[in-house]
Amino acid sequence: MALSGSFLIRPNTHLSPFLNAPKQNFVISRKQPQFGWRASSSTDNSCNEEDKMVVRREKDGWKIEFLRKKPITPLLDTVNYPIHLKNLSTQELEQLSNELRAEVIHTVSRTGGHLSSSLGVVELTVALHHVFDTPNDKIIWDVGHQRILQAYPHKILTGRRSKMHTIRKTAGLAGFPKREESVHDAFGTGHSSTSISAGLGMAVATALKGKKNNVISVIGDGAMTGGQAYEALNNAGFLDTNLIVILNDNKQVSLPTATLDGPATPVGALSSALSKLQASKKFRNFREAAKNVTKKMGGQAHQVAAKVDECCKIQSGDRQAIQDNIFDTLIHTVVHDVDLQKLPVRFAMDRAGLVGADGPTHCGAFDVTYMACLPNMVVMAPSDEAELMHMVATAAAIDDRPSCFRFPRGNGIGAILPLNNKGKPLEVGKGRVLMGGDKVAILGYGSIVQQCVKAANFLRTRGILVTVADARFCKPLDTDLIKKLAREHEILITVEEGAIGGFGSHVSHYLCLSGLIDGPFKLRSMVLPDKYIDHGAPEDQLEESGLSSKHISATVLRLLGRANEAIQLN
């Protein structure tokens, strides 16, 4: 069985989609009958060539029929890079857009991912690559709640169509623009509201070098609500640099806000507000008056310009010292506004550790290192979904200081959940022992505990009994548990799915101060490597990071003097 459906795309006007039109140039309406099931086979040759066409023009518009099999895209097949768009007519560009839309749908149907955000920029992507000359001109795609993964059409048109089936997979294409992947990706993105700032830096650098290439920042209405976007617009207006900003405000979202009554309809408030503002005569008069005032500013303007010039030098590659208090100011929201005041704010941090297909832009590698150094913060991580419920209850019960807990992307392990799915508060700063052993103890923090258990079960088949403990808390540490493990075992290994400076560092610091590692006792910490792990299957990422149960087992074997067995595991 193959799922098929038909959409009708008809032009709103006869204007070229590459002129300054205030609205979207195409609307999509369902044509009766709507969606239906149709039996078909991959080897079905009963239909003629015209019936096989997934994208074709009819009297009342373009018809796109979505099938599971690869769409027939004769015009798109001739376009491998943006230069191939330059000589296409408006009608051909229109056809290309619809073939590109069919290709995007076919790709997402195979790989999964957000679809609507990519479909919302098909015509815009074609227009940009028709008008501008990348990579000489720089196009920067923003990312946000309403514009996630909008770069799929861009990737297809810039030499990566044949690899789209690998997107977000191990050793495949990234889900977001990535500079190492293509010269057409001017800036790597993964989180929202950064495109205007990045574009402004490139535009300033272009002006300093005396070049004439264009810089275009494409931002959606969701990302436009971020504070960094408005700060960048403020700076761009002051510098008056040659920067083009495109606001893609089509009132569509890829992740509608969830409510008790279902997904909320996009309100499009930003579009309405900007339209009213731009049409206001008072605003236009104020803008002209502001320009005249800034021109007449004296020495103060020169001082500000000097500071901007210093920032531009940093952008251009000059090495400048950055004061520590500047960095501290960047993170003041957690430090100054919460931890310093001991406010009972609860931080629930999604995507802890490695995140599979989401890749390095979403990898939660640094939160433990940062949060656990704050004096008043309670830092915890669950080993499974049941523990997560208990930690939610624990955070809710802590009302005299801030707290945080991290949890990974993906599914649980099938743990038995608390009654009525309601957790019970844990004793703060207390871990637990899961398995008993003799010479070797493994102390895991967070979901990596499951890999520790797997390693212990494997080592048991080799005649090695290992103690496995779940730390639960990084701050405050369960010092009684750590002391017990150190005194009753010859070897202690800490394992965490985070960067250096996190849980393992806190454990080693305590053991060092307490004098428990002054003798023959052996301590090892296993953490994420000092590099970014590319997107891929979770098991592949664990292998690359050296944190799989196999790597943990090999570490134990080497510390026990059984190096040959350890080598065999690798």
Side-chain angles (χ1 to χ4, degrees), residues 345-365:
V345 177
R346 292 89 179 177
F347 295 89
M349 296 177 290
D350 182 20
R351 286 170 168 77
L354 300 169
V355 290
D358 285 349
T361 58
H362 288 62
C363 179

Side-chain angles (χ1 to χ4, degrees), residues 15 22 77 93 126 133 178 199 261 282 288 369 375 472 494 505 513 532 534 550:
L15 291 175
D77 293 343
L93 291 170
V126 171
D133 179 27
K178 186 175 182 180
D261 299 323
K282 292 182 179 180
E288 291 302 318
T369 301
R472 281 179 168 166
T494 64
S505 295
L513 292 179
Y532 295 104
D534 276 337
K550 181 179 68 175

Side-chain angles (χ1 to χ4, degrees), residues 515-537:
L516 292 174
I517 54 176
D518 293 345
F521 177 73
K522 298 178 181 178
L523 174 66
R524 298 291 186 273
S525 293
M526 300 183 68
V527 300
L528 288 174
D530 190 22
K531 67 176 184 178
Y532 295 104
I533 305 298
D534 276 337
H535 56 278

Side-chain angles (χ1 to χ4, degrees), residues 193-265:
S193 312
T194 61
S195 63
I196 303 177
S197 294
L200 179 59
M202 294 181 189
V204 170
T206 297
L208 289 174
K209 294 179 179 179
K211 294 184 177 181
K212 301 296 183 181
N213 57 289
N214 298 289
V215 180
I216 307 97
S217 296
V218 184
I219 188 168
D221 43 349
M224 191 62 216
T225 60
Q228 187 175 351
Y230 288 106
E231 290 178 1
L233 284 176
N234 185 46
N235 291 335
F238 171 77
L239 294 173
D240 196 23
T241 307
N242 183 24
L243 171 67
I244 300 172
V245 178
I246 298 177
L247 173 61
N248 186 35
D249 189 2
N250 59 4
K251 303 180 184 179
Q252 297 299 312
V253 295
S254 57
L255 294 174
T257 304
T259 68
L260 293 176
D261 299 323
T265 302

